[in-house]
Amino acid sequence: MENRNLTEVLVGLFVTAGFIALFFLAMNVSNLRESSVPDGYTLLARFANIGGLKTRSPITISGVKVGRVSTISLDQDSYNALVTLKINPGVCIPDETIASILTSGLLGEQYIGLEPGGMDECLENQDEIELTQSAIILEKLISKFLFNKADSNAK
Amino acid sequence: MINLIQALGDSTLSRLSTLGRACLLLINLLTAIGSVLYRFRLLVAQLYSVGVLTFLIVVVSGFFIGMVLGLQGYTTLSDFGAESALGQMVGTSLVRELGPVMAALLFAGRAGSALTAEIGLMKATEQLSGMEMMAVDPIKRIIAPRFWAGFISMPVLALLLSAAGILGGYLVGVEMLGVDNGIFWSRMQSTIDFKADLMNGVIKSIVFGFVVTWIAVFEGYDAIPTSEGVGRATTRTVVYSAFAILGMDFVLTALMFGDL
């Protein structure tokens, strides 16, 4: 009888250890804690080129993270990229804000940096950020530089 | 020539009938869930011998795997000045791949082989036919609890291996090699998605647990009832399980993470 009880206790411990491991992985290792923050509101932005931006890329104001990219799709009318931005609740994005796609470091991940505009009223859910700046494509930059150089040499 | 064709046909037919018996056993095992829950004590006893006894080897191996990952990752990443990505590397590789796969391989070696040997020996000593004589269904009484115990233990073991591995990586990376503590965890948290990474790892381990215990109990149940037959069945369990785990892992990874 005592032996069987010990077995049952050990099985219980085993399953509990599994739950503790799941809890540890969920809370400390994965982003569950972050994504359990109540959803904020969404804003839209159109970019001519998003470069390497992905869903779940961060959105920052002066380097502080205020949200994440939730979806990226193609706008069939203008052939621009339509990006939905999920902004944390309580963060006020003023009108006339500029959204630009930036790169962290030389080869790092791309993210959206917001430069707040000077207006007083905040953008509301499903509003669109009108002023956007596309990603800088390194190849285009280099080729532009080379052509300029060639032009100035020819003169 | 005729003999060759005959042998070919014979081996094909015997393989097909083995596959058929395996599938029939699986159907019997799946429909036996009611009687397994009814005799809960049997399931608990099997959870002990399949899960608890594998606990230690899984946790210790996980810890060492994580430590090696931390050490090797650090040497390569520090060449590029990217030690800060160590947590991300250790976490992703453990949660997505190494946790489920290594736990399943260890599980096949430690628990799967024991299951096959145990059931095979029961068959060789005619305990299974004895039960049938007493109108006790050996599938419900002996095999189903073992199958379901393996099915339940596998995800638990995979989670434990991942957690132990990440702690091992933390120990080597942060405590010994001096990667920043905050960056180690925050890079890990920002890359590992709860649903896309952690839950897919759990799904993988559930699939592996299902396949490995199925192979183990079938090989035992289908073993030739001699000591040599049981020995061969045990070997087959480990070999087939290893193949099945690694093959399924590729398929599941391609489905979950790849853009094939």
Side-chain angles (χ1 to χ4, degrees):
Chain A
M1 191 62 205
E2 198 149 48
N3 198 11
R4 178 180 292 162
N5 272 339
L6 184 67
T7 316
E8 281 166 9
V9 169
L10 286 174
V11 171
L13 267 178
F14 172 67
V15 176
T16 317
F19 276 113
I20 290 172
L22 179 64
F23 186 75
F24 164 74
L25 289 174
M27 285 303 163
N28 262 346
V29 175
S30 81
N31 60 351
L32 186 66
R33 202 161 34 177
E34 208 174 287
S35 55
S36 63
V37 172
D39 291 340
Y41 56 100
T42 52
L43 297 177
L44 302 173
R46 270 169 236 271
F47 292 94
N49 193 329
I50 55 165
L53 196 74
K54 295 189 187 75
T55 48
R56 300 182 37 76
S57 292
I59 299 162
T60 62
I61 297 178
S62 339
V64 179
K65 210 181 98 186
V66 294
R68 280 185 182 281
V69 172
S70 65
T71 59
I72 296 173
S73 55
L74 185 69
D75 180 11
Q76 290 283 1
D77 298 328
S78 60
Y79 289 106
N80 280 344
L82 183 62
V83 177
T84 26
L85 306 106
K86 192 133 234 163
I87 307 290
N88 292 348
V91 178
C92 167
I93 309 290
D95 218 352
E96 288 187 4
T97 292
I98 305 170
S100 35
I101 297 179
L102 305 168
T103 312
S104 63
L106 196 57
L107 301 166
E109 291 241 317
Q110 292 198 298
Y111 64 97
I112 295 185
L114 298 179
E115 274 170 62
M119 305 297 272
D120 284 337
E121 63 263 42
C122 301
L123 287 174
E124 281 165 19
N125 197 14
Q126 298 296 336
D127 277 355
E128 187 177 334
I129 298 177
E130 305 278 349
L131 304 167
T132 61
Q133 202 171 42
S134 289
I136 295 168
I137 311 288
L138 211 57
E139 290 93 321
K140 281 189 184 167
L141 211 65
I142 293 170
S143 71
K144 208 184 256 175
F145 172 75
L146 286 178
F147 278 122
N148 274 349
K149 200 86 179 156
D151 270 0
S152 61
N153 279 355
K155 271 172 199 168
Chain B
M1 191 62 198
I2 293 289
N3 277 341
L4 193 75
I5 293 170
Q6 201 173 16
L8 193 71
D10 188 49
S11 79
T12 313
L13 279 181
S14 85
R15 246 152 242 220
L16 276 178
S17 83
T18 311
L19 187 65
R21 266 175 290 152
C23 291
L24 286 176
L25 179 72
L26 181 66
I27 292 166
N28 279 333
L29 289 173
L30 292 178
T31 49
I33 175 113
S35 67
V36 169
L37 290 177
Y38 180 65
R39 296 198 197 94
F40 198 67
R41 274 269 160 83
L42 287 177
L43 182 67
V44 171
Q46 287 312 316
L47 272 174
Y48 175 76
S49 69
V50 168
V52 177
L53 293 181
T54 323
F55 173 86
L56 196 65
I57 181 177
V58 159
V59 169
V60 173
S61 325
F63 200 67
F64 281 117
I65 291 170
M67 280 165 67
V68 168
L69 273 179
L71 202 58
Q72 294 287 20
Y74 182 83
T75 19
T76 312
L77 288 173
S78 63
D79 282 352
F80 304 100
E83 305 94 288
S84 54
L86 187 70
Q88 175 183 353
M89 196 205 95
V90 171
T92 338
S93 40
L94 273 165
V95 169
R96 280 187 180 181
E97 289 295 333
L98 288 171
V101 171
M102 291 309 293
L105 288 173
L106 291 167
F107 180 80
R110 167 66 189 74
S113 57
L115 282 179
T116 309
E118 194 184 5
I119 297 171
L121 209 64
M122 279 184 179
K123 195 182 175 192
T125 50
E126 297 186 340
Q127 294 181 45
L128 294 185
S129 16
M131 278 186 175
E132 268 169 23
M133 295 295 282
M134 293 187 290
V136 176
D137 186 354
I139 289 183
K140 281 186 181 154
R141 172 91 199 175
I142 300 289
I143 300 180
R146 284 166 173 76
F147 175 77
W148 285 102
F151 187 73
I152 295 167
S153 319
M154 203 33 242
V156 178
L157 292 169
L159 284 170
L160 284 167
L161 193 135
S162 300
I166 285 165
L167 288 178
Y170 166 81
L171 190 76
V172 168
V174 177
E175 300 288 331
M176 284 158 71
L177 294 170
V179 175
D180 185 71
N181 190 7
I183 287 179
F184 183 85
W185 293 110
S186 76
R187 284 291 289 262
M188 189 146 51
Q189 282 166 12
S190 66
T191 24
I192 298 182
D193 188 56
F194 181 73
K195 259 194 226 129
D197 294 320
L198 194 55
M199 280 302 124
N200 273 346
V202 171
I203 291 170
K204 266 188 184 178
S205 66
I206 290 174
V207 173
F208 294 159
F210 178 83
V211 172
V212 170
T213 32
W214 180 27
I215 292 175
V217 295
F218 173 72
E219 287 295 345
Y221 190 63
D222 204 52
I224 301 162
T226 57
S227 35
E228 198 201 346
V230 174
R232 273 174 146 173
T234 313
T235 316
R236 272 207 302 271
T237 297
V238 178
V239 174
Y240 288 174
S241 299
F243 273 138
I245 291 162
L246 298 171
M248 302 273 299
D249 183 49
F250 173 71
V251 175
L252 287 174
T253 307
L255 281 177
M256 287 166 175
F257 305 109
D259 302 315
L260 281 180

